[in-house]
């Protein structure tokens, strides 16, 4: 993989690279998940944002078996290829990898129910919406719906999509949509959950190779 330049991966999950397939793929459930990851990357790991976007393949839902299928096809084209599949926990339990014996494919499951759970930071939402610090409407709404700080067991069951989705509690209270990618980008280092740090530690080792091996412009 040393010296290999990262190339864009087709957004069509049925196509994986053509004549010169990508050597690392990041499987995500949907475009919204990819946008959130890109937002965090833009703020905290800017050199990884472009390769992250290029490596991403959308599964169309929480479908680890589909990731296995796609990765098996990639391995047939590029021996030594690797992939990471990022999944919501959804039902509160970690999924079992459908084919743990497939070398090069790993799974990362959020400890909270949804990736959106890590965006429930009132100050970051205010910054994304360009609201004044003194505007406490977000805090008041979330205070009625969020578990106590540090109660990760409760966060594992919390349906963050019900709070932040297009018809969610918070958008209805504010009268506007919540731009999730912008909330991720507005989240400061001290506001990031350890799960986010853990994921990017894993991604950095894979994506940085492509950054370091690119020729100068």
């Amino acid at each position: 993989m040393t010296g290999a330049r990262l190339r864009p991966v087709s957004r069509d999950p049925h196509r994986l690279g053509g004549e010169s397939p990508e050597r690392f793929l990041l499987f995500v459930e949907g475009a919204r998940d990819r946008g959130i990851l890109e937002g965090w990357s833009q703020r905290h790991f800017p050199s990884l944002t472009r390769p992250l976007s290029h490596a991403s393949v959308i599964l169309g839902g929480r479908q680890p078996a589909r990731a296995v299928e796609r990765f098996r096809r990639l391995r047939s084209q590029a021996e030594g290829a690797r992939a990471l599949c990022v999944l919501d926990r959804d039902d509160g339990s970690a999924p079992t990898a459908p084919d743990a014996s497939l070398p090069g494919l790993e799974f990362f499951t959020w400890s909270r129910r949804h990736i959106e759970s890590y965006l429930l930071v009132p100050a970051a939402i205010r910054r994304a919406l360009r609201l004044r610090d003194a505007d406490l409407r977000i805090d008041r709404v979330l205070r009625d719906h969020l578990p106590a700080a540090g109660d990760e067991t409760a966060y594992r069951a919390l349906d963050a999509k019900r709070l932040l989705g297009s018809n969610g509690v918070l958008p209805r209270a504010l009268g506007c949509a919540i731009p999730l990618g912008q909330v991720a980008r507005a989240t400061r280092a001290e506001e990031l959950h350890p799960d986010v740090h853990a994921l990017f530690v894993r991604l950095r080792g894979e994506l940085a190779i492509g950054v370091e091996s690119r020729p100068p412009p």
Side-chain angles (χ1 to χ4, degrees):
M1 194 158 148
T2 302
R5 184 176 180 180
L6 284 173
R7 297 186 180 184
V9 172
S10 169
R11 296 304 184 199
D12 180 352
H14 294 280
R15 297 179 58 194
L16 291 178
E19 294 181 0
S20 181
E22 186 62 86
R23 303 286 298 203
F24 173 74
L25 295 183
L26 175 64
F27 293 107
V28 295
E29 294 188 13
R32 182 165 55 189
D33 300 52
R34 183 181 64 202
I36 293 171
L37 292 177
E38 288 174 349
W40 283 325
S41 181
Q42 288 164 3
R43 177 66 182 261
H44 302 287
F45 311 96
S47 66
L48 302 183
T49 303
R50 186 175 179 183
L52 184 154
S53 179
H54 286 178
S56 298
V57 174
I58 294 172
L59 294 174
R62 186 177 182 273
Q63 303 191 64
R66 180 171 291 182
V68 170
E69 174 192 345
R70 302 291 184 264
F71 184 69
R72 184 177 285 115
R73 289 169 51 196
L74 173 62
R75 289 280 290 198
S76 70
Q77 301 174 49
E79 185 179 354
R82 296 181 56 78
L84 181 66
C85 180
V86 180
L87 299 171
D88 285 345
R89 186 168 296 273
D90 279 357
D91 62 359
S93 61
T96 301
D99 189 346
S101 65
L102 188 62
L105 175 61
E106 298 181 357
F107 290 84
F108 179 96
T109 303
W110 297 109
S111 68
R112 293 181 172 182
R113 184 171 178 177
H114 302 129
I115 187 174
E116 291 87 349
S117 303
Y118 301 95
L119 302 179
L120 295 169
V121 181
I125 299 172
R126 269 196 298 274
R127 289 191 290 270
L129 294 175
R130 299 189 178 184
L131 300 176
R132 296 178 296 110
D133 291 344
D135 188 335
L136 298 180
R137 286 178 297 165
I138 296 169
D139 303 71
R140 286 194 292 267
V141 172
L142 293 184
R143 186 166 55 236
D144 293 335
H145 293 88
L146 294 188
D151 188 351
E152 290 298 321
T153 299
Y155 270 104
R156 181 172 294 191
L158 179 71
D159 187 350
K161 294 180 180 180
R162 183 179 63 84
L163 299 178
L164 296 173
S166 58
N167 195 37
V169 174
L170 193 55
R172 291 202 307 270
L174 296 176
C176 65
I178 308 296
L180 301 183
Q182 292 180 39
V183 174
R185 187 171 184 177
T187 305
R188 295 173 178 169
E190 64 273 17
E191 296 167 338
L192 283 179
H193 190 277
D195 285 356
V196 179
H197 286 289
L199 175 61
F200 274 92
V201 165
R202 295 179 68 168
L203 288 176
R204 187 162 45 199
E206 300 288 356
L207 297 174
I209 294 174
V211 174
E212 293 166 0
S213 63
R214 282 182 179 156

